[in-house]
Amino acid sequence: SGLWLSEGDFVSTAGRKATQLGSLGFPRDWPNVYSTSKALKSLIGGKKGRCAGKKVSVLTVPLPDDLALLQGLVSYPLQSFSNAVRIEKAAGLPVVRGWAVFEHLDLAVSEAFVAERYWWNALPDGRWVDFTPRPQAWPELVLAEAVDGAPKVQTTLATSELELAHLLLEQRFPASFVTVPEKKMAVAAEQTEAPAKENSSELEPELEPLADPSLAPFAELVKRAG
């Protein structure tokens, strides 16, 4: 079991489902759109937004000094929840729970936006840092700390969640996506032993690192879900 992205982790002002989001990216009229767009305000604005945020910031990729704090701990694509929890446990950096905010790039500028439930970490000086690998097309990410804490419950990986992960990996990391026959994926999952759990209240088990987590193939996700 683990913390997996699911349909309920995505909210689109265009009414699209998680499997039909289309092209997403950094809001094109930022920062002006933050104060002028009714669609964006309805999503993360104040306490009335569907994914209300109490603090919003734009984060770049981690700096070398930030990465050094992890002491080699590897983060995985599409798994911001477990990444943040493991980093808090290993490096003592508190988890910040909220939403990543994107614009529907296939629609008119500032017409519609998407909030994706997302967790990251805070440095000792209070500065936010996001260690989850992201597509090269997303050098900056809008993150909104949730008013309600954006909670997530640990569950067994469902078929719908596996299919969503497959789709998102293909869309966001197309150059590295690897298609693996279902039979081989099943065998790989069966041969992967579940890691032993420590006597801890933390939700996420220890994970084996990948050689290149930013280019993680779908087969590896299946192995880790076995």
Side-chain angles (χ1 to χ4, degrees):
S1 61
L3 300 166
W4 315 102
L5 278 172
S6 62
E7 177 68 36
D9 294 320
F10 296 84
V11 180
S12 166
T13 62
R16 295 181 180 179
K17 295 182 178 180
T19 55
Q20 302 170 334
L21 294 175
S23 179
L24 301 179
F26 189 84
R28 288 169 287 188
D29 190 30
W30 190 268
N32 182 59
V33 67
Y34 183 63
S35 59
T36 61
S37 171
K38 291 183 179 179
L40 187 56
K41 287 183 179 179
S42 72
L43 190 63
I44 61 171
K47 296 182 179 180
K48 297 182 179 180
R50 297 166 66 186
C51 306
K54 59 184 179 180
K55 177 182 177 181
V56 177
S57 185
V58 175
L59 269 65
T60 60
V61 295
L63 300 173
D65 287 348
D66 299 333
L67 293 171
L69 297 173
L70 303 188
Q71 300 180 345
L73 185 68
V74 177
S75 295
Y76 300 87
L78 305 185
Q79 299 195 26
S80 71
F81 313 123
S82 58
N83 290 336
V85 170
R86 292 167 57 243
I87 289 168
E88 180 180 49
K89 183 177 179 181
L93 304 181
V95 176
V96 184
R97 296 170 174 83
W99 304 86
V101 182
F102 305 97
E103 183 175 353
H104 280 295
L105 300 182
D106 57 336
L107 299 177
V109 174
S110 302
E111 179 179 340
F113 300 87
V114 175
E116 175 182 327
R117 196 183 310 271
Y118 203 88
W119 295 358
W120 58 99
N121 297 88
L123 297 172
D125 62 4
R127 180 167 54 90
W128 289 353
V129 60
D130 171 35
F131 291 106
T132 296
R134 65 181 75 160
Q136 293 184 354
W138 297 354
E140 295 181 310
L141 202 60
V142 176
L143 296 178
E145 184 178 6
V147 171
D148 66 358
K152 183 73 177 178
V153 179
Q154 186 180 28
T155 61
T156 299
L157 183 64
T159 299
S160 60
E161 294 167 338
L162 198 58
E163 292 174 346
L164 178 58
H166 182 289
L167 176 64
L168 293 177
L169 280 172
E170 186 173 20
Q171 291 178 339
R172 299 180 181 186
F173 303 91
S176 62
F177 186 80
V178 179
T179 301
V180 181
E182 291 184 5
K183 184 176 181 180
K184 290 186 178 180
M185 291 194 296
V187 171
E190 290 175 359
Q191 293 177 345
T192 303
E193 296 182 0
K197 293 185 177 180
E198 298 179 1
N199 293 326
S200 170
S201 60
E202 295 291 353
L203 296 177
E204 187 65 15
E206 292 299 319
L207 306 175
E208 290 299 321
L210 301 179
D212 187 352
S214 66
L215 302 178
F218 179 61
E220 187 64 34
L221 179 60
V222 175
K223 288 182 183 180
R224 296 176 58 241

